[in-house]
Amino acid sequence: MTRAPLIKFSCGRAAKQAADWILEPDNFEKLRAQFESTSRFAKLKSINPKQAGKLLFLRVVAATGDAMGMNMISKGCEKMLQFLKTVDVFENMTVLSLSGNYCVDKKPSAMNWINNRGYSISCDVTLKCDVIKSVLKTSAGALAELNSSKNHVGSSLAGCIGGNNAHASNIVAGIYLATGQDIAQAGTSSMAMVNMECLDRGDLYVSVTMPCIEVGTVGGGTSLAAQQNNLQLLTSTPDVNINAALLAQVVCGAVLAGEISLLSALCSGDLVKSHMQLNRAER
């Protein structure tokens, strides 16, 4: 998980000196000790400073066990900032915000698309030609062409970031509600790229890559009875610190299935017909 405090200095030179101090390995270890003193599960991985004039953004990356981890990492960042105030080069700094939007939280961004946030998961499958014809009512060539034209060309024309998919957010939002996740993160967690490749004998290779699945199996809404029951069904394992990773894999796998389903319905022309048949109450 990530969090990016925003601090301000008197001038750009002071901000640069502070950034250089953080990048020193010995100083990072001092900050790690402060950060990890706030939780037995929080493990500081890196701090990436980004300067903008006299402003300094600190993108903090940490492992947070089975928790999604926003509260955990915020607590650790607050402790680090208190420590930094005792260091000479930070003496005149002003903490503008515990979060400076460089995390990036609850906003689709190139930062998370490239550098990841939460769990980065890829799922893939090879669909056999007979299954594509008999079950999906289409062909490998038609699916691959639609995926390229719609999910890649169409999304590029629209200027999407992480939008190389048909409807990943439908699946992500549903699972997040059912398992007690932060539903406000469904948008960022839905960033996904779908790739399709035609194989020999009419088979089709399909993959989904999702670099920003922000989930946890402890904390927040995961403690609600219904949500906890669903988590037990999906991720229950006695091993600590891997349940959240398992849930992220479930999310990506479900998105993979959903993409195959919708693209197939579009290829076969069944999308509107199925909605009219299955999504309308009888009068």
Side-chain angles (χ1 to χ4, degrees), residues 85-274:
K85 290 180 180 179
T86 68
V87 178
D88 289 345
V89 294
F90 292 88
E91 183 178 9
N92 296 317
M93 78 170 184
T94 300
V95 178
L96 293 182
S97 176
L98 189 61
S99 174
N101 277 13
Y102 192 63
C103 314
V104 180
D105 185 37
K106 299 180 176 70
K107 291 165 283 292
S109 68
M111 170 68 73
N112 291 348
W113 184 242
I114 296 169
N115 294 325
N116 310 331
R117 189 173 197 254
Y119 293 94
S120 179
I121 306 291
S122 288
C123 288
D124 60 0
V125 66
T126 297
L127 300 174
K128 295 299 183 181
C129 178
D130 59 337
V131 173
I132 298 172
K133 290 181 178 179
S134 63
V135 178
L136 301 179
K137 306 297 190 294
T138 184
S139 67
L143 280 168
E145 181 182 12
L146 177 60
N147 181 66
S148 175
S149 300
K150 171 183 169 65
N151 287 344
H152 291 271
V153 178
S155 293
S156 294
L157 287 175
C160 294
I161 296 177
N164 304 111
N165 61 83
H167 70 143
S169 60
N170 276 333
I171 287 83
V172 172
I175 295 177
Y176 274 31
L177 287 170
T179 59
Q181 307 305 310
D182 186 343
I183 192 62
Q185 291 179 328
T188 50
S189 294
S190 296
M191 292 194 297
M193 176 182 289
V194 181
N195 286 314
M196 293 187 175
E197 178 185 348
C198 291
L199 304 176
D200 294 337
R201 301 190 180 92
D203 296 345
L204 181 70
Y205 172 81
V206 187
S207 70
V208 172
T209 300
M210 303 179 69
C212 185
I213 303 178
E214 301 148 309
V215 292
T217 54
V218 296
T222 65
S223 60
L224 297 172
Q227 281 69 18
Q228 185 59 225
N229 287 338
N230 290 334
L231 285 170
Q232 289 293 323
L233 289 171
L234 294 173
T235 66
S236 183
T237 171
D239 296 325
V240 179
N241 295 339
I242 69 167
N243 284 297
L246 290 175
L247 180 58
Q249 293 174 34
V250 169
V251 171
C252 192
V255 168
L256 174 64
E259 290 293 307
I260 293 170
S261 176
L262 177 55
L263 290 173
S264 297
L266 289 168
C267 282
S268 64
D270 288 333
L271 178 65
V272 174
K273 181 175 67 176
S274 62

Side-chain angles (χ1 to χ4, degrees), residues 26-68:
D26 289 345
N27 295 332
F28 174 79
E29 291 304 320
K30 295 175 184 177
L31 294 173
R32 185 206 297 272
Q34 294 293 319
F35 184 93
E36 295 182 1
S37 69
T38 63
S39 169
R40 59 196 175 105
F41 296 107
K43 303 298 179 185
L44 183 63
K45 299 299 182 182
S46 65
I47 303 175
N48 304 304
K50 183 70 172 180
Q51 183 181 352
K54 59 184 180 180
L55 301 178
L56 190 63
F57 298 80
L58 306 178
R59 192 171 195 261
V60 177
V61 182
T64 56
D66 273 337
M68 184 270 286

